[in-house]
């Protein structure tokens, strides 16, 4: 029995469902590359981590240009109110200039991996690999990042923390 608690509460919004389907599609790709490489005896994890982290850094640097000053609060508020807020059912937990925390209460990537029948361990591993993008974004923004909890690990939410470096 899976310990993962990943249940959407917003289910009847066409735009949100289209966004979730697109993210799930990418999640199936990632899972396919990862599991097929493993089946062939190839350890793809270090490559995936490196590429996803660098994509995050590049994204963070691009996003940093949108702000006069990047602080955990300015970025966190943007992160939790832009178009994909409802897609992940995000909630702001702490909003201070030097400290921002939010929760993601649903994850389309985890949903994709669950639908594929991956084990909880594989879901947790793929989630951590995917989080390299968030770690990289924080790096590109000049912020510290901490993942306090994860849906893929059976927690009630993904709890993200951004702090000033």
């Amino acid at each position: 029995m899976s310990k993962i608690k990943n249940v959407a509460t917003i289910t009847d919004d066409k735009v949100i469902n289209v966004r979730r389907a697109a993210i799930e599609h990418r999640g199936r790709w990632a899972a396919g590359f990862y599991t097929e490489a493993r089946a062939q005896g190839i350890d793809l994890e270090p490559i995936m981590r490196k590429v996803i982290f660098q994509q995050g850094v590049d994204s963070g640097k691009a996003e940093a240009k949108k702000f006069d000053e990047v602080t955990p609060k300015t970025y966190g508020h943007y992160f939790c109110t832009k178009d994909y807020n409802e897609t992940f059912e995000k909630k702001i937990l702490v909003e201070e200039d030097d400290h921002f925390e939010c929760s993601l209460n649903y994850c389309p990537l985890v949903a994709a991996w669950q639908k594929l029948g991956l084990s909880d361990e594989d879901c947790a591993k793929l989630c951590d690999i995917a989080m390299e993008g968030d770690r990289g974004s924080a790096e590109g923004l000049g912020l510290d990042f901490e993942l306090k909890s994860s849906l893929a690990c059976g927690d009630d939410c993904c709890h993200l923390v951004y702090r000033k470096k």
Side-chain angles (χ1 to χ4, degrees):
M1 182 70 166
S2 177
K3 65 179 180 184
I4 297 174
K5 308 166 195 169
N6 189 43
V7 180
T9 60
I10 303 170
T11 58
D12 60 350
D13 185 294
K14 288 181 184 181
V15 173
I16 292 170
N17 289 336
V18 166
R19 288 178 183 152
R20 287 177 176 167
I23 294 167
E24 283 187 30
H25 187 71
R26 289 187 295 251
R28 288 191 301 275
W29 284 9
F33 287 125
Y34 179 80
T35 57
E36 181 59 28
R38 183 176 59 196
Q40 292 188 28
I42 300 166
D43 183 8
L44 195 56
E45 181 180 344
I47 295 167
M48 291 176 76
R49 286 186 183 278
K50 181 178 180 180
V51 170
I52 293 169
F53 181 84
Q54 187 57 54
Q55 291 295 315
V57 170
D58 294 344
S59 175
K61 287 179 179 178
E63 288 182 338
K65 295 175 183 175
K66 297 175 182 177
F67 306 100
D68 292 332
E69 178 187 6
V70 177
T71 68
K73 182 178 180 177
T74 57
Y75 175 69
H77 185 74
Y78 164 79
F79 177 74
C80 283
T81 57
K82 65 181 183 177
D83 292 338
Y84 291 99
N85 185 42
E86 293 88 3
T87 304
F88 290 88
E89 300 187 16
K90 297 176 187 176
K91 292 184 180 151
I92 295 172
L93 304 173
V94 176
E95 188 174 11
E96 299 172 1
D97 287 337
D98 61 351
H99 178 206
F100 184 90
E101 297 185 29
C102 65
S103 65
L104 283 64
N105 298 287
Y106 178 76
C107 181
L109 292 172
V110 173
W113 302 328
Q114 288 177 298
K115 288 174 185 176
L116 288 171
L118 297 183
S119 69
D120 286 359
E121 293 78 20
D122 280 345
C123 288
K125 176 65 76 175
L126 285 166
C127 172
D128 193 59
I129 292 168
M131 291 305 299
E132 292 296 337
D134 296 273
R135 293 178 187 107
S137 289
E139 182 70 24
L141 288 157
L143 301 173
D144 282 332
F145 173 80
E146 177 187 0
L147 178 63
K148 286 184 125 176
S149 66
S150 167
L151 286 163
C153 291
D155 297 314
D156 291 332
C157 67
C158 294
H159 186 158
L160 285 60
V161 179
Y162 296 90
R163 291 188 176 88
K164 275 189 155 184
K165 282 195 176 222

